């Protein structure tokens, strides 16, 4: 008897812990949460999630409650005779087929409604190409002829359609506060749409295991008011500013001479390779190495000194640059606003 009480207590504690874990996950301010939607598409998914969660919780409590009640109330007593044996009860059987049947149909209809919302890209959506790479994100704004990486800048309050492609393996684009996860598959064109309802930064993460740096393939969506977005887009469309004298100019020479140029593009210079991220306006980004480091001179120097130490397995080799070359490259690259 004592052990049964402990069992009940333990199950109660486990359920409580699960609820607390779920709640605290939802409330963490600095990590993205699927419970905190800021886009019509994400909201339709969150609503569905809540409905399913609440229905599942009700079913769980009723079934487990019934089970516990029956276990204790009808437990075998030492002197008890064999209970009356019964078989079949049409009324109960009809009830326990009808209620789950209705639940499944209701959930099916709600899921269809969510799927319709997610599939119906508004006609006035801004189209942006997303290309997944091992292990970073390329973003192209075809109409404005802008190419950038890792930080997706969008206009707040306007629908955006992403056209998703992959260069190598399957990735998955997931910014939970804006949209459901969508796979990024080689040889296939997937789309998703969202509308960031207020300006701000929305974080996410590649959600399909894609190799060594899967966890280092972060997502950052920056939603700006319309005028600031247009300013940003115009600045990005412009070619890179020519390096001023001194370290910046020396850095440009290092960039051209030490093979950076064979992987990276800087529009407005000779660098036009498409292997690594486009660096035309690198200095204007908040992070580098797909969100693994902040874009500060110190972190950039650390990255250039040995990219493999920061992000093992990534495609950028250790070029064994001297301290002076690193200093000059940092000045040049941070100047590419
Ligand atoms: Cu890309 Cu995981």
């Amino acid at each position: 008897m004592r052990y049964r009480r402990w069992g009940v207590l333990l199950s109660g504690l486990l359920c409580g812990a699960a609820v607390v874990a779920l709640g605290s996950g939802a409330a963490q301010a600095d990590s993205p949460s699927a419970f905190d939607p800021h886009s019509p598409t994400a909201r339709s998914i969150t609503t569905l999630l809540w409905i399913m969660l609440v229905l599942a919780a009700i079913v769980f409590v009723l079934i487990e409650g019934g089970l516990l009640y029956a276990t204790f109330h009808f437990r075998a007593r030492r002197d008890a005779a064999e209970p009356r044996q019964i078989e079949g009860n049409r009324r109960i059987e009809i009830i326990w087929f009808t209620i789950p049947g209705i639940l499944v149909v209701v959930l099916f209809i709600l899921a269809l409604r969510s799927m319709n919302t997610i599939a119906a890209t508004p006609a006035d959506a801004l189209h942006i190409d997303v290309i997944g790479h091992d292990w970073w994100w390329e973003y192209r704004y075809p109409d404005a002829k802008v190419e950038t990486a890792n930080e997706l800048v969008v206009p707040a309050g306007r629908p955006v359609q992403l056209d998703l492609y992959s260069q190598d393996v399957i990735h998955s684009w997931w910014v939970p506060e804006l949209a459901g996860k969508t796979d990024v598959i080689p040889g296939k064109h997937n789309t998703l749409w969202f509308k960031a309802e207020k300006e701000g930064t929305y974080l996410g993460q590649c959600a399909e295991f894609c190799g060594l740096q899967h966890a280092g393939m972060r997502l950052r969506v920056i939603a700006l008011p319309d005028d600031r977005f247009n300013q940003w887009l115009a600045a990005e469309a412009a070619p890179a500013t020519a390096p001023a004298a001194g370290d910046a100019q020396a850095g440009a020479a290092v960039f051209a001479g030490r093979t950076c140029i064979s992987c990276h593009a800087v529009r407005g210079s000779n660098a036009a390779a498409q292997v690594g991220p486009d660096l035309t306006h690198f200095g204007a980004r908040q992070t580098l190495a797909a969100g693994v480091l902040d874009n500060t001179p110190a972190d950039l120097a650390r990255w250039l000194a040995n990219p493999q130490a920061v992000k093992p397995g990534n495609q950028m080799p250790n070029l064994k640059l001297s301290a002076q070359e690193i200093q000059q490259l940092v000045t040049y690259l941070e100047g590419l606003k």
Side-chain angles (χ1 to χ4, degrees):
M1 189 59 211
R2 183 191 289 164
Y3 294 109
R4 284 195 191 137
R5 280 205 189 121
W6 278 110
V8 174
L9 192 65
L10 196 64
S11 352
L13 280 175
L14 281 175
C15 292
V19 169
V20 169
L22 200 68
S24 68
Q28 285 242 332
D30 53 345
S31 63
S33 169
F35 289 95
D36 186 22
H38 291 283
S39 157
T41 39
R43 181 162 295 109
S44 103
I45 293 171
T46 307
T47 307
L48 192 60
L49 174 60
W50 272 118
I51 292 170
M52 286 188 170
L53 207 59
V54 169
L55 281 177
I58 292 170
V59 169
F60 179 82
V61 167
L62 287 179
I63 302 254
E64 291 300 311
L67 189 66
L68 285 174
Y69 174 78
T71 305
F72 284 94
H73 194 258
F74 300 112
R75 71 185 183 277
R77 289 183 174 80
R78 199 162 291 158
D79 53 353
E82 175 107 350
R84 188 167 64 89
Q85 301 297 304
I86 51 167
E87 197 190 321
N89 183 323
R90 181 161 296 174
R91 186 183 294 168
I92 289 179
E93 282 170 9
I94 288 173
I95 289 173
W96 75 40
F97 275 101
T98 310
I99 294 177
I102 292 171
L103 284 180
V104 168
V105 169
V106 168
L107 289 178
F108 177 68
I109 292 168
L110 291 173
L112 274 184
R113 280 185 40 172
S114 260
M115 285 164 70
N116 276 337
T117 305
I118 292 163
T121 308
D124 59 339
L126 170 74
H127 284 241
I128 302 172
D129 292 341
V130 179
I131 299 137
H133 295 262
D134 278 347
W135 288 277
W136 57 283
W137 301 98
E138 180 178 353
Y139 295 117
R140 294 185 181 180
Y141 299 67
D143 295 335
K145 301 213 168 8
V146 162
E147 283 170 33
T148 181
N150 296 323
E151 286 167 18
L152 177 63
V153 180
V154 298
R158 257 178 73 190
V160 170
Q161 172 175 317
L162 300 185
D163 294 279
L164 303 156
Y165 307 92
S166 174
Q167 183 68 36
D168 34 54
V169 298
I170 302 178
H171 304 276
S172 180
W173 199 94
W174 191 35
V175 176
E177 288 163 6
L178 296 179
K181 57 179 79 160
T182 305
D183 277 1
V184 182
I185 301 171
K188 195 166 162 34
H189 170 206
N190 280 346
T191 63
L192 71 87
W193 79 273
F194 63 83
K195 181 171 79 178
E197 284 160 352
K198 56 174 194 178
E199 57 174 297
T201 299
Y202 302 92
L203 300 177
Q205 167 67 43
C206 177
E208 178 77 37
F209 181 70
C210 53
L212 203 55
Q213 284 300 332
H214 163 64
M217 196 170 172
R218 299 180 194 161
L219 284 157
R220 184 175 284 258
V221 177
I222 300 160
L224 300 176
D226 248 354
D227 52 337
R228 278 179 56 210
F229 172 76
N230 290 331
Q231 274 170 26
W232 174 86
L233 199 62
E236 287 285 322
T241 41
D247 271 0
Q249 216 161 54
V254 175
F255 191 86
R258 292 299 306 264
T259 68
C260 312
I261 198 168
S262 51
C263 288
H264 293 281
V266 176
R267 276 172 280 127
S269 78
N270 288 335
Q274 299 280 330
V275 180
D278 185 299
L279 301 177
T280 308
H281 297 286
F282 170 80
R285 295 183 206 150
Q286 297 170 358
T287 58
L288 62 97
V292 170
L293 294 176
D294 289 331
N295 188 5
T296 61
D299 275 358
L300 178 58
R302 200 176 132 213
W303 171 253
L304 291 171
N306 189 356
Q308 294 300 320
V310 177
K311 200 168 167 176
N314 88 83
Q315 310 282 324
M316 179 151 153
N318 182 352
L319 295 173
K320 306 235 161 46
L321 301 161
S322 71
Q324 193 193 17
E325 285 173 321
I326 290 173
Q327 171 57 39
Q328 292 165 339
L329 272 176
V330 168
T331 309
Y332 168 57
L333 291 170
E334 295 295 4
L336 297 174
K337 299 281 187 192

